[in-house]
Amino acid sequence: MSQSVEQVLEFPQLVALLRRYVSSPLGMAELEKLAPLADRQKAEQSLAEAGEAMEFLRGAEDARAPRRTAGAIGFQGLHDVRAAAARLAIEGAELEPLEILHLAELLGRAGDIKSLLASSRARFPLLAAASDELGEFRPLLRDLEGKILPNGQLDDHASAALRRIRREIEHQRKAVQESLDRFLRAHSEEG
């Protein structure tokens, strides 16, 4: 679209207004890609989806609503996982535990949103249809649960082998420390 059309639509001002409500790096990246639609059918589809989303969020904020959903659709606290996700496409690439934890948080939130929207399919069919594109990662997330600590360290209980290796490392560390202490005591007595 030409610059003049964006100016007539006050599109930059709209994006600036929306920026105040975006709470995640991924959302901000999507907002920056936003542009006016030239295709009428796509524009009408987007407006219908936005209308459903607004109705959904109004219901989530309504204390009288039979099912409050405000907490389930929050994106606060999510990290930017684009670099880690891109590395997953490279065969043999490895991720740090903290990157895996951040990906698991995102996938968990997406799974919660998918379930919530699927259960509201009758009232919000467009949102539910969009959520159908989200993958199902709950079995993987259950396997990862509790194995990575919030600081990105692997929990000792992540596997029996890791627990054994860490005990052996600690045993070796103590043996080296004791040996150094004996060496220093023997040489300090000699002057």
Side-chain angles (χ1 to χ4, degrees):
M1 293 214 128
S2 69
Q3 185 69 13
S4 62
V5 172
E6 285 188 4
Q7 296 300 21
V8 168
L9 294 174
E10 296 182 356
F11 200 75
Q13 292 88 335
L14 174 63
V15 170
L17 176 68
L18 292 174
R19 199 173 282 124
R20 290 190 242 161
Y21 298 98
V22 177
S23 61
S24 74
L26 296 173
M28 194 61 73
E30 288 301 310
L31 180 62
E32 297 306 321
K33 290 192 272 183
L34 197 61
L37 296 171
D39 182 289
R40 181 183 177 122
Q41 187 176 4
K42 286 181 183 178
E44 288 174 352
Q45 175 72 18
S46 291
L47 282 173
E49 289 171 353
E52 264 193 24
M54 289 173 59
E55 184 181 340
F56 182 87
L57 292 174
R58 272 192 216 105
E61 293 170 354
D62 186 355
R64 299 167 301 185
R67 186 171 175 198
R68 294 195 64 183
T69 57
I73 299 290
F75 297 100
Q76 299 81 6
L78 292 176
H79 296 86
D80 189 345
V81 296
R82 289 176 288 178
R87 281 203 319 278
L88 286 175
I90 301 169
E91 188 175 338
E94 296 177 2
L95 298 179
E96 294 294 321
L98 192 57
E99 291 173 312
I100 296 169
L101 180 64
H102 292 163
L103 282 166
E105 290 169 349
L106 176 65
L107 293 175
R109 192 87 50 95
D112 293 344
I113 292 168
K114 179 178 181 163
S115 295
L116 181 63
L117 293 174
S119 69
S120 304
R121 186 173 299 279
R123 189 165 174 210
F124 304 106
L126 297 175
L127 295 178
S131 74
D132 289 341
E133 295 180 24
L134 297 173
E136 181 56 59
F137 296 97
R138 286 202 172 98
L140 171 65
L141 296 175
R142 276 193 295 278
D143 288 345
L144 288 173
E145 192 172 341
K147 293 183 176 168
I148 302 174
L149 301 174
N151 65 1
Q153 296 294 314
L154 290 177
D155 188 291
D156 285 343
H157 297 80
S159 75
L162 178 62
R163 189 169 40 254
R164 180 183 48 75
I165 290 167
R166 283 191 173 164
R167 274 198 315 261
E168 183 61 31
I169 289 171
E170 183 59 24
H171 176 72
Q172 293 296 326
R173 189 192 65 74
K174 285 180 182 177
V176 168
Q177 185 66 44
E178 289 170 3
S179 177
L180 285 172
D181 289 345
R182 280 193 307 275
F183 177 80
L184 289 173
R185 272 194 308 275
H187 285 50
S188 69
E189 291 171 1
E190 295 174 1

